[in-house]
Amino acid sequence: MVKGITRQVILVKSPDPRLFEEAIFIVKEEALAREGVSADKVLREARQAANGYLKQGKAWNRRLERLPAPVWGALGAALASAGWAAWLFLL
């Protein structure tokens, strides 16, 4: 649905193109009308929000990537064994 309203939008290119191409921020109409708020400040805050979102997701990925492959193998084997044991005892 298209409305007849124009809005100011900020497009922020992603530093990691594997996840996103760009982030779209819709600027409040009264944001730029305030005194002391410049377009540079709004753009800087949009970039900061986009980077904060990406860093939040990367922190978990870094923690999980630190685990060596044998740990993942042992975890998978333990979960498979637990699944089979539960299946056998429930029958």
Side-chain angles (χ1 to χ4, degrees):
M1 180 170 83
V2 177
K3 292 185 177 183
I5 299 174
T6 58
R7 298 223 176 197
Q8 290 186 346
V9 175
I10 295 177
L11 297 175
V12 178
K13 298 289 183 184
S14 173
D16 188 3
R18 292 178 296 152
L19 299 174
F20 304 103
E21 288 182 26
E22 56 192 8
I24 300 171
F25 292 91
I26 300 173
V27 181
K28 290 185 178 182
E29 291 179 25
E30 64 269 5
L32 293 175
R34 292 184 196 156
E35 198 171 308
V37 177
S38 66
D40 290 335
K41 185 174 180 179
V42 173
L43 183 60
R44 194 175 329 114
E45 191 168 332
R47 284 185 180 146
Q48 212 172 27
N51 286 336
Y53 182 77
L54 286 174
K55 286 178 184 176
Q56 178 184 3
K58 285 183 180 180
W60 279 105
N61 288 341
R62 275 190 237 123
R63 289 182 192 137
L64 293 176
E65 288 173 355
R66 281 190 232 156
L67 293 176
V71 172
W72 287 109
L75 182 62
L79 286 174
S81 298
W84 275 107
W87 179 260
L88 289 174
F89 287 117
L90 290 177
L91 288 179

